[in-house]
Amino acid sequence: MQPLVVELGDRGYPIHIGPDLISRPDLYAPHLAGRQVLVVTDEAVADLYLAPLRQALRDREAASLVLPGGEAGKTLDAVSRIVDVLVERRFNRSAAVVALGGGVVGDVAGFAAAIYHRGIRCIQVPTTLLAQVDSSVGGKTGVNHPKGKNLIGAFHQPVCVIADTRALATLGGRELRAGLAEVIKYGVLWDGAFFRWLEDHLDGLLVHDEGLLGHAVRRSCEIKAEVVSRDEREEGVRARLNLGHTFGHAIEAGMEFGHWLHGEAVAAGICMAADLAARMEWISGGEAERVRALVRRAGLPDRGPAGLAPDTFLRLMARDKKVVDGGIRLVLPRAIGDTVLTSDFDPCALAETLETCRADIEPPFFARARP
Ligand code: GLY
């Protein structure tokens, strides 16, 4: 199948989507300038996919580094470990980093590629749904700071993205659902027809139907590629991709990174954004309920944690990178399929959302509580 393309002039790149792509040497070769390649991955992914990837790179001088998995590992220390290997192996400016794994590996390895020798090539090989539909595309790289999510980072576009949809077959249920949160996000923020398609096909997606997952990845990447091509540095329309993230990042930080998966926090955040928009009558109560219903059917949280008091929640939201002159800006729906970044929301309505949208139930128990 033809790759999608992120159109960024001479920094544009293909996104290959399909089954059994990890082991295809022909997808890597055109994007490697030299012989030196460092594959960065995590423990769980290494067991499954490091061998076929190394086989695809067998004519290169390939090294690998296996990091511990999980959001708690998205640190400057992990970046430092990658840079140490690049230095020890005397990798030069024509070397490349291949990020094999989920969002954490992609962000950390991408950031190391962004800063080593002021920038070397990076190929993203995402193996989770979340990484395939969002974090591997668009060049956002970085790590968390104890005070906030993704506070340290750089834009560094990959030279190629290889999304092997067969890798999704080995994804655990919780990881799959967390990825579906980002897929649902595209329906709410950009494409009402895709949201309807998700309502119709969610049950198949939840049982790992390969054809349906392939379509979901492709449509999500089409939207992401279009948005990034129009606004690489998030000076305009790209901010809309942060739907649910100001709420979500506050949940992740407030509950200590790693307790809630990123996608779980984003799911709750999308529902809270819809709740706020409905309170201000930007969308109807029926539309907000459609969003909540799809999120719940996906086994994802439609509210934040009861343990996060509204004033703490608000304080954490104020650390968001979209804050300007101390004012919180939120991405809010104007319809299913249309959103806007705005500071022009009713603070009383936001206070009501933060007070009302709280649940006692915590990850990873949502799926069991499905209606
Ligand atoms: N994950 C949002 C973006 O890449 O802009």
Side-chain angles (χ1 to χ4, degrees), residues 92-152:
N92 58 41
R93 293 195 70 191
S94 62
V97 170
V98 176
L100 171 70
V104 171
V105 161
D107 285 6
V108 169
F111 187 46
I115 59 175
Y116 184 66
H117 286 333
R118 298 200 181 87
I120 61 171
R121 289 163 181 247
C122 180
I123 296 180
Q124 292 280 350
V125 187
T127 56
T128 65
L129 182 58
L130 186 138
Q132 292 191 357
V133 301
D134 184 34
S135 55
S136 64
V137 177
K140 280 190 181 175
T141 71
V143 296
N144 297 330
H145 184 277
K147 295 249 183 247
K149 173 106 177 159
N150 296 337
L151 290 187
I152 304 157

Side-chain angles (χ1 to χ4, degrees), residues 21-44:
L21 303 185
I22 287 178
S23 55
R24 293 241 325 247
D26 58 310
L27 299 184
Y28 302 88
H31 306 288
L32 297 171
R35 289 186 39 73
Q36 299 171 322
V37 183
L38 175 63
V39 182
V40 179
T41 188
D42 69 33
E43 284 155 1

Side-chain angles (χ1 to χ4, degrees), residues 133-140 150 155 182 185-186 224 227-228 231-234 237-243 245 249 262:
V133 301
D134 184 34
S135 55
S136 64
V137 177
K140 280 190 181 175
N150 296 337
F155 284 100
E182 296 280 2
K185 182 190 80 173
Y186 289 110
K224 180 121 192 204
V227 171
V228 171
D231 176 23
E232 182 186 6
R233 311 282 292 197
E234 199 171 306
V237 70
R238 183 165 181 173
R240 289 165 61 177
L241 296 177
N242 291 310
L243 172 65
H245 282 62
H249 286 169
H262 175 64

